[in-house]
Amino acid sequence: MKKPVVLVGIGEMGGVFARGFLRLGHPVYPVTRDQDMEKAAQEIPEPEAVLIAVGEKDLPDVLQHLPDSWKDKAILLQNELLPADFSHLPDVTVISVWFEKKPGMDFKVIIPSPCFGPKSELIRDALGKLDIPVKILASEDELLFELVVKNLYILTTNIAGLKTGGTVGELWSEHHHIARQIADDVIDLQESLTGKTFDREALIQAMLHAFEGDPEHKCMGRSAPARLERALNHAGERDLELPSLMQLAAEMH
C-alpha cells in the first residue's frame, strides 16, 4: 500500500487532485474545516504529501496551524500566491493551476500547469492519470515568473471584466487599451510585492498564450470585486499608485 495523501480543503479543485492520487494508488484522507489538524497529524504522521486546497482567503490561517510534521510535505495550488506567502515552509511544492473546475462540470485544461518543489513528480504523475498536463520547473526563479504570470492573468481579466464583461479573447481584441493599462498596474503591484523587476513583454506574451488556450473563458468571476479591493489594499500599504485600478474602483462606487 502506498503512503496516504492528506487533503486539506474538499472543494472542486481538491476533488480533481484526489482522483489523480487515488488512480496512482495513494489513499486520500480528507481534513475538513471542523477537524483538528494536529489530531489528524498524530493519526497520519508520515503522509506522502499534504495538499492544501483551501481558497486563497483561508490559506494564511491554515498555514499558521499546519502541524510541524506536515510542513515539509505541503503542496499549494492557490491563486494570488507569491514566495512571501510560503517562504516559512521548508521544501514546499507549488503548482500554478491552469485548469478550470466548476460545479457540475468536469475540468477543462487551458495550458499545462507549471509545478516546482519536491512533490512535483507526484503531482505530474497524479494529474497525468487524468490527462492534465504538468510542466515541472527547474528553479525558484522560474516558479516566481509563473506565479506572476498567473496573477497577471487572474487580476487583469477579473478586474478589467468588471468594466468590460465578456471573454478573455474579446478583452484583448476589443478592449486592448483598458486591458493593457490594468495589466501594467498589476505588474507594478507584483514588482512591489516581490521586490523584483520583470520583463513586461515576456509576462504579457505569457498571459496571451493563456488567453489563446481558452479564448472563451469569462473575464469576471465571483471573486473579481474582492480581487480589486485586495490589490488596492496591497498598493495602499506600499504607497503605490495604481491609477487604472483606482479609477475603476471609483467608477464602481
Side-chain angles (χ1 to χ4, degrees), residues 14 24 47 63 71 75 103 110 119 134 148 153 177 218 229 243 245:
L24 272 186
L63 293 185
K71 285 183 176 175
I75 301 170
I110 300 174
K119 300 299 179 184
V134 171
V148 171
Y153 175 96
H177 181 65
K218 296 286 187 216
E229 183 179 357
L245 270 60

Coordinates of all heavy atoms in Angstrom, one line a residue, residues 14 24 47 63 71 75 103 110 119 134 148 153 177 218 229 243 245:
G14 N -9.7 20.4 -5.1 CA -9.2 19.3 -4.3 C -9.7 18.0 -4.8 O -9.0 17.0 -4.8
L24 N -3.3 6.8 -8.8 CA -1.9 6.3 -8.6 C -1.8 5.3 -7.5 O -0.7 4.7 -7.3 CB -1.0 7.5 -8.2 CG -0.4 8.4 -9.2 CD1 0.5 9.4 -8.6 CD2 0.4 7.6 -10.2
P47 N 2.6 11.2 6.0 CA 1.9 11.1 4.7 C 2.9 11.3 3.5 O 4.0 11.8 3.7 CB 0.9 12.2 4.7 CG 1.5 13.3 5.6 CD 2.3 12.5 6.6
L63 N -2.1 27.7 7.0 CA -0.6 27.6 7.1 C -0.1 27.9 8.5 O 0.8 27.2 9.0 CB 0.1 28.5 6.1 CG -0.1 28.2 4.6 CD1 0.7 29.1 3.8 CD2 0.2 26.7 4.3
K71 N 4.8 20.0 7.5 CA 5.2 21.2 6.8 C 6.1 20.9 5.6 O 6.1 21.6 4.6 CB 5.9 22.2 7.8 CG 4.9 22.9 8.7 CD 5.6 23.9 9.6 CE 4.6 24.6 10.4 NZ 5.2 25.5 11.4
I75 N 1.8 20.9 -0.3 CA 1.6 21.3 -1.7 C 0.6 22.4 -1.8 O -0.5 22.3 -1.2 CB 1.1 20.1 -2.6 CG1 2.1 19.0 -2.5 CG2 0.9 20.6 -4.0 CD1 1.5 17.7 -3.2
P103 N -18.6 23.5 -10.5 CA -19.6 22.5 -10.0 C -20.4 22.0 -11.2 O -20.8 22.8 -12.1 CB -20.5 23.3 -9.0 CG -19.6 24.4 -8.5 CD -18.7 24.8 -9.7
I110 N -6.6 24.6 -19.8 CA -6.3 25.8 -20.5 C -4.9 25.7 -21.2 O -4.7 25.7 -22.4 CB -6.4 27.1 -19.6 CG1 -7.8 27.2 -19.1 CG2 -6.0 28.3 -20.4 CD1 -8.0 28.3 -18.1
K119 N 7.6 17.6 -4.5 CA 6.5 16.7 -4.8 C 6.0 16.9 -6.3 O 4.9 16.5 -6.6 CB 5.3 16.9 -3.8 CG 5.7 16.6 -2.4 CD 6.1 15.2 -2.2 CE 6.4 14.9 -0.7 NZ 6.9 13.6 -0.5
V134 N 1.3 18.7 -16.8 CA 2.0 19.4 -15.8 C 3.4 19.7 -16.3 O 4.1 18.7 -16.9 CB 2.1 18.7 -14.5 CG1 3.0 19.3 -13.5 CG2 0.7 18.6 -13.8
V148 N 3.7 35.0 -11.1 CA 3.4 36.3 -11.6 C 2.6 36.3 -12.8 O 1.6 37.1 -13.0 CB 4.7 37.2 -11.7 CG1 4.3 38.5 -12.3 CG2 5.3 37.4 -10.3
Y153 N -2.7 37.2 -15.2 CA -3.9 36.7 -15.9 C -5.2 36.9 -15.0 O -6.2 37.5 -15.5 CB -3.7 35.3 -16.2 CG -4.9 34.6 -16.9 CD1 -5.0 34.5 -18.3 CD2 -5.9 34.0 -16.1 CE1 -6.0 33.8 -18.9 CE2 -7.0 33.4 -16.7 CZ -7.0 33.3 -18.1 OH -8.1 32.6 -18.6
H177 N -6.9 48.6 -25.0 CA -6.3 49.7 -24.2 C -6.6 49.6 -22.7 O -5.6 49.7 -21.9 CB -6.9 51.0 -24.7 CG -6.4 52.2 -24.1 ND1 -5.1 52.6 -24.2 CD2 -7.0 53.2 -23.2 CE1 -4.9 53.7 -23.5 NE2 -6.0 54.1 -22.9
K218 N -14.5 33.3 -19.4 CA -15.2 34.5 -19.0 C -14.1 35.3 -18.2 O -13.4 34.8 -17.4 CB -16.4 34.2 -18.1 CG -17.5 33.5 -18.8 CD -18.2 34.4 -19.7 CE -19.5 33.8 -20.3 NZ -19.7 34.2 -21.7
E229 N -10.3 45.0 -4.6 CA -10.1 45.6 -3.3 C -8.8 45.1 -2.7 O -8.1 45.9 -2.1 CB -11.3 45.2 -2.4 CG -11.2 45.8 -1.0 CD -12.4 45.4 -0.2 OE1 -13.3 44.7 -0.6 OE2 -12.4 45.8 1.0
P243 N -3.2 53.9 -11.0 CA -4.2 54.8 -11.5 C -5.4 54.1 -12.2 O -6.5 54.5 -12.0 CB -3.5 55.7 -12.5 CG -2.2 55.0 -12.8 CD -1.8 54.2 -11.6
L245 N -6.5 51.0 -11.7 CA -7.3 50.3 -10.8 C -8.1 51.2 -9.9 O -9.3 51.0 -9.6 CB -6.4 49.4 -9.9 CG -6.2 47.9 -10.4 CD1 -5.6 47.9 -11.8 CD2 -5.4 47.1 -9.5

